[in-house]
Amino acid sequence: SMLSAPEIDIDANFKQTHIVRAGASIRLFIAFSGRPVPTAVWSKADANLSLRADIQTTDSFSTLTVEECNRNDAGKYVFTVENNSGSKSITFTVKVLDTPGPPGPITFKDVTRGSITLMWDAPVLDGGSRIHHYIVEKREASRRSWQVVSSKCIRQIFKVTDLAEGVPYYYRVSAENEYGVGEPCELTEPVVATEEPAPPKRLDIVDTTKSSVVLAWLKPDHDGGSRVTGYLLEMKQKGSESWIEAGQTKQLTFTVEGLVENTEYEFRVKAKNDAGYSEPREAFSSVIIKEPQIEPTADLSEISRQLITCKAGSTFTIDIPISGRPAPKVTWKLEEMRLKETERVTIKTTKDRTTLTVKDSMRGDSGKYYLTLENTAGVKTFTVTVVVIGRPGPVTGPIEISSVSAESCVLTWKEPEDDGGSDITNYIVEKRESGTTAWQLVNSSVKRTQIKVTHLTKYQEYSFRVSSENRFGVSKPLESKPIVAEHPFVPPSPPSRPEVYSVSATAMAIRWEEPYHDGGSKVIGYWVEKKERNTILWVKENKVPCCECNYKVTGLVEGLEYQFRTYALNAAGVSKASEASRPVVAQNPVVKRFSLAANNNTYFHLYPDSPGPCAGKITVSRVTEEKCTLAWNMPEEDGGAQITHYIVERRETSRLHWVIVEAECQTLSHVVTKLIKNNEYIFRVRAVNKYGPGVPLETEPVIARNAFSECYYFHSASEFVEYFS
């Protein structure tokens, strides 16, 4: 099924204009098509069709029927069909042949003694036929019956004469066409035709004070044939019989002064022309003379959203109409502070408006302005918000500097407390080398409150500053403390495991090796801690850090077993603790007797000690990419005690740190595993007795790689030497 816009089917019999006699029926028929089925709507300007018309609609035609037509059913009927694909309309014109509708409103002029001139507009509805003439009628206000004054008035104006003097009359006018006389239009108020004016229309008491009254009235309906020249006001106290003159005026308002407070008065007004005074018009009610109690109010409608926005440095004005009786006392406040006139602030107040002007405005002038109006009837406060927008305040500090290295650092700050009343658009970051005065721009369009500053010079000291910017300008800058561009320090790695190398009943001497890594800042000392073997408590031994890698611990208790550990210290802090030393008993050494050998290599000991170095050299064999075999001899000097085991260690030549490979080797050889291919190593071996580890013996450097397995041919001895060199 294809979609199609609506179509209206018009055949040869189709009539667009329908003329019908009053009392007959109208029937309008229309056929249509379209997919989807269109919606069909009938309409008529200024009419609710559902009240008069019966409408029947199917998917393909619609009928509108009006029974017993009258002239109001005449006009244009519009039929519209619409679907998603479009719409179509057609207009029917209906003429109803009927008597005319009422003429337009009647006005009058030239009222004199015994005559009046009436005027009116043609009827809106002519009944489908030309209007032939009008019928004018009058009626005395005290009677029921109408008298025809003119039955064939051709024009839309007529002078009525021979009116009884001083008698009020009503008037009405009807139109006539070929179908008869239509509905009349009638004057709502009766009119007296005199030479004096008609009385003024309605007298109102507009206002009172404690000694006066303001009166206002409307002009009379007619002037009696000569111009109204003024008005006479009269008054009397309630209960008195006589009216007295209160004043005369040419205006339509008058203030009567000198009245007695809390006294009740009545008022009336007369119009005057050349012939004399009109009948009086009395006020609707009497009035008591007193100051009215009207709660004060202010009109903020001129200030949109009660918000005034102003650029810093310019002038803003809050101008507010006020009212209230008695005239209110006016107070202005900014937040909690009462405003007084100053060089910059002007306050002008009259009984009906108050104006606050602030010139050379500043950010601090922003806030809620409270206008308080007070009189005996009440107190009211009104609020106007003023936003003075300007450049922002400085960013909120301090500027934090982190991730410092030799070439970069990261700056972090907080948004300004005062954004200048407008969103911060960007931050401007600058740097300055110490010893110079010039600031260099780093970046002028930073969006976040953080930036990584790069391209610093190593060991150069820098200060930084940050400014905030909005669309009105740039803040004052906030400066950082200076920093030096260098790699950051960390605490050192721990020292090696301490070794006890001398013992007595009350003292022990320990030694250790400095940390493998100094944390980027040189080691400035060591802390030493001791522990009795049977407790868990470590006790700090030295009050100030010791500078050497050895320390004598005194004040020990004979017979107790002790352990020691150390910490290294640099500019960044303290390392983790070293490994604890082996437990050693505090006891005096046993003097040992032994013969002095003639051999010059013998170590002569009078006291027991840890062992001397292993004799001879360490042999390194079976070297591969990941292992090798070490072999060594016993030391010539055992330190006066049995050697219990050996400690085997390795160090990569590119590093300072010795790594224990085997802590308790019971033999004179060891296979070292887990080497890294092509790394260069040094190995060392120490003998251990009950007094501790002895003097180490080191190997030459060894590279972890497989021995040659290929066969080489050389043409000469020099080629062989050159190859292996």
Side-chain angles (χ1 to χ4, degrees):
S1 68
M2 291 288 288
L3 296 178
S4 63
E7 287 296 334
I8 291 175
D9 302 337
I10 294 175
D11 61 12
N13 303 328
F14 179 76
K15 291 219 315 283
Q16 202 154 351
T17 302
H18 293 245
I19 300 174
V20 59
R21 287 298 298 264
S25 298
I26 311 166
R27 183 170 171 279
L28 307 179
F29 172 88
I30 190 85
F32 59 84
S33 61
R35 298 194 91 122
V37 173
T39 54
V41 178
W42 289 91
S43 62
K44 179 173 186 261
D46 312 328
N48 180 353
L49 287 181
S50 63
L51 300 177
R52 292 282 298 147
D54 174 43
I55 296 169
Q56 303 291 333
T57 303
T58 71
D59 288 357
S60 60
F61 66 84
S62 184
T63 313
L64 177 143
T65 310
V66 180
E67 308 278 350
E68 295 189 20
C69 286
N70 62 43
R71 69 177 85 81
N72 294 314
D73 298 315
K76 296 196 183 313
Y77 289 75
V78 180
F79 175 71
T80 304
V81 270
E82 181 173 14
N83 67 12
N84 321 7
S85 304
S87 73
K88 272 276 166 54
S89 293
I90 190 161
T91 302
F92 293 89
T93 302
V94 172
K95 289 189 177 174
V96 177
L97 305 180
D98 196 354
T99 59
I106 302 172
T107 57
F108 57 84
K109 65 171 188 173
D110 301 340
V111 179
T112 63
R113 193 189 300 272
S115 81
I116 186 169
T117 300
L118 305 176
M119 295 171 290
W120 58 90
D121 290 339
V124 176
L125 299 170
D126 64 1
S129 159
R130 194 173 57 75
I131 287 171
H132 293 169
H133 52 252
Y134 296 93
I135 297 154
V136 182
E137 297 169 279
K138 71 176 182 187
R139 170 172 77 79
E140 285 183 33
S142 59
R143 300 197 177 170
R144 284 251 177 96
S145 59
W146 289 91
Q147 298 164 274
V148 175
V149 184
S150 169
S151 60
K152 291 254 172 20
C153 178
I154 313 288
R155 292 167 63 224
Q156 285 162 231
I157 182 166
F158 188 77
K159 183 173 183 179
V160 185
T161 54
D162 300 330
L163 297 171
E165 197 178 334
V167 176
Y169 287 93
Y170 283 99
Y171 299 94
R172 74 180 187 187
V173 177
S174 323
E176 188 172 349
N177 67 6
E178 66 175 286
Y179 304 109
V181 178
E183 280 179 55
C185 171
E186 194 172 323
L187 201 58
T188 52
E189 295 278 325
V191 186
V192 181
T194 62
E195 281 191 353
E196 290 83 31
K201 294 209 322 211
R202 61 178 289 179
L203 171 62
D204 288 312
I205 292 157
V206 177
D207 196 7
T208 64
T209 71
K210 57 177 189 277
S211 65
S212 70
V213 63
V214 179
L215 305 172
W217 56 93
L218 298 172
K219 281 201 306 219
D221 272 338
H222 70 83
D223 61 10
S226 68
R227 199 168 53 80
V228 171
T229 54
Y231 298 93
L232 170 68
L233 291 127
E234 296 177 316
M235 65 180 184
K236 69 181 175 93
Q237 286 194 17
K238 187 88 187 263
S240 149
E241 291 304 307
S242 56
W243 290 89
I244 58 169
E245 185 179 321
Q248 300 204 27
T249 180
K250 289 181 161 46
Q251 313 302 323
L252 294 171
T253 175
F254 187 74
T255 303
V256 184
E257 310 272 6
L259 301 174
V260 181
E261 189 172 7
N262 293 324
T263 306
E264 196 169 350
Y265 289 86
E266 292 174 31
F267 296 93
R268 68 186 190 184
V269 62
K270 298 175 180 175
K272 178 175 189 284
N273 71 0
D274 292 347
Y277 287 100
S278 72
E279 289 297 307
R281 170 72 69 195
E282 288 200 26
F284 185 67
S285 67
S286 60
V287 61
I288 297 169
I289 302 303
K290 58 169 191 263
E291 184 72 59
Q293 297 291 307
I294 302 173
E295 203 180 13
T297 187
D299 175 10
L300 272 61
S301 62
E302 295 295 302
I303 304 171
S304 106
R305 307 206 320 278
Q306 275 75 71
L307 176 68
I308 292 173
T309 303
C310 156
K311 199 170 167 193
S314 61
T315 298
F316 66 85
T317 299
I318 312 178
D319 182 32
I320 300 180
I322 59 172
S323 63
R325 299 289 295 275
K329 175 167 153 271
V330 171
T331 314
W332 281 98
K333 273 178 156 184
L334 168 52
E335 305 292 352
E336 296 303 304
M337 184 181 68
R338 172 124 182 226
L339 292 174
K340 300 261 196 318
E341 294 220 342
T342 66
E343 294 284 289
R344 295 196 305 117
V345 178
T346 317
I347 300 170
K348 287 208 161 45
T349 300
T350 65
K351 70 180 195 335
D352 41 26
R353 79 186 313 115
T354 179
T355 308
L356 172 78
T357 305
V358 179
K359 61 180 197 192
D360 304 329
S361 64
M362 304 187 285
R363 282 284 295 148
D365 298 327
S366 298
K368 287 190 163 53
Y369 284 75
Y370 296 109
L371 166 63
T372 301
L373 304 177
E374 182 176 4
N375 68 10
T376 47
V379 181
K380 277 260 186 73
T381 297
F382 302 86
T383 309
V384 175
T385 302
V386 173
V387 179
V388 179
I389 42 186
R391 64 181 201 163
V395 300
T396 306
I399 298 173
E400 290 186 8
I401 308 179
S402 58
S403 306
V404 180
S405 75
E407 56 277 330
S408 69
C409 65
V410 173
L411 309 180
T412 309
W413 58 92
K414 292 191 179 70
E415 296 175 343
E417 282 168 23
D418 173 16
D419 65 4
S422 176
D423 290 344
I424 298 294
T425 53
N426 57 285
Y427 296 96
I428 299 163
V429 178
E430 299 166 287
K431 70 179 178 191
R432 180 172 64 82
E433 297 183 359
S434 293
T436 68
T437 53
W439 287 93
Q440 296 167 282
L441 182 65
V442 174
N443 191 328
S444 63
S445 55
V446 181
K447 295 291 185 225
R448 294 168 55 233
T449 55
Q450 188 176 65
I451 185 178
K452 182 172 184 178
V453 182
T454 56
H455 303 100
L456 301 181
T457 305
K458 191 172 184 177
Y459 301 133
Q460 174 69 56
E461 188 177 57
Y462 290 94
S463 295
F464 300 95
R465 68 182 189 184
V466 179
S467 316
S468 50
E469 186 168 7
N470 66 11
R471 61 197 179 90
F472 297 101
V474 179
S475 74
K476 294 197 174 95
L478 176 72
E479 198 169 323
S480 74
K481 60 179 197 305
I483 59 108
V484 176
E486 58 189 349
H487 286 295
F489 315 139
V490 295
S493 59
S496 70
R497 182 183 191 177
E499 159 198 342
V500 179
Y501 67 89
S502 174
V503 186
S504 74
T506 58
M508 293 188 193
I510 62 171
R511 60 190 176 206
W512 58 88
E513 286 178 15
E514 62 184 25
Y516 160 58
H517 190 298
D518 66 8
S521 166
K522 71 175 192 303
V523 173
I524 52 178
Y526 299 91
W527 295 114
V528 176
E529 289 183 336
K530 72 166 188 269
K531 177 172 92 75
E532 294 171 26
R533 190 174 181 183
N534 57 357
T535 72
I536 57 166
L537 190 67
W538 286 95
V539 180
K540 194 168 186 182
E541 186 58 37
N542 48 343
K543 297 282 182 284
V544 291
C546 70
C547 300
E548 303 301 322
C549 288
N550 58 65
Y551 187 77
K552 186 173 181 184
V553 183
T554 56
L556 302 179
V557 179
E558 186 169 10
L560 290 185
E561 204 169 11
Y562 290 93
Q563 283 179 285
F564 303 95
R565 68 183 186 187
T566 61
Y567 299 83
L569 191 66
N570 73 0
V574 182
S575 73
K576 292 194 167 69
S578 73
E579 213 181 325
S581 66
R582 297 185 163 281
V584 177
V585 177
Q587 61 187 22
N588 281 324
V590 180
V591 178
K592 162 188 167 195
R593 299 184 187 84
F594 55 85
S595 58
L596 298 174
N599 185 326
N600 285 343
N601 289 354
T602 307
Y603 283 70
F604 294 99
H605 279 268
L606 296 178
Y607 295 110
D609 196 357
S610 54
C614 296
K617 287 191 170 174
I618 303 171
T619 58
V620 184
S621 59
R622 298 188 193 155
V623 181
T624 72
E625 285 177 357
E626 68 268 348
K627 50 173 94 161
C628 68
T629 302
L630 308 179
W632 58 90
N633 306 312
M634 287 180 70
E636 292 179 0
E637 178 49 65
D638 66 6
Q642 184 191 343
I643 287 171
T644 55
H645 59 273
Y646 295 91
I647 299 172
V648 181
E649 295 172 288
R650 68 169 163 79
R651 175 167 78 80
E652 293 178 33
T653 54
S654 61
R655 300 197 171 182
L656 302 170
H657 194 46
W658 288 96
V659 178
I660 294 178
V661 173
E662 176 55 66
E664 306 213 1
C665 181
Q666 304 292 334
T667 62
L668 292 172
S669 67
H670 182 71
V671 178
V672 182
T673 59
K674 297 187 183 162
L675 300 180
I676 297 167
K677 178 178 175 180
N678 291 332
N679 273 12
E680 190 175 43
Y681 293 93
I682 298 176
F683 302 96
R684 71 181 184 186
V685 176
R686 292 194 273 183
V688 183
N689 66 11
K690 70 177 184 181
Y691 300 116
V695 180
L697 175 66
E698 295 187 8
T699 69
E700 293 297 315
V702 178
I703 296 174
R705 60 179 173 212
N706 293 332
F708 298 122
S709 54
E710 301 92 358
C711 205
Y712 289 89
Y713 295 96
F714 297 100
H715 297 97
S716 67
S718 61
E719 190 176 324
F720 171 88
V721 171
E722 191 177 16
Y723 186 88
F724 280 104
S725 64

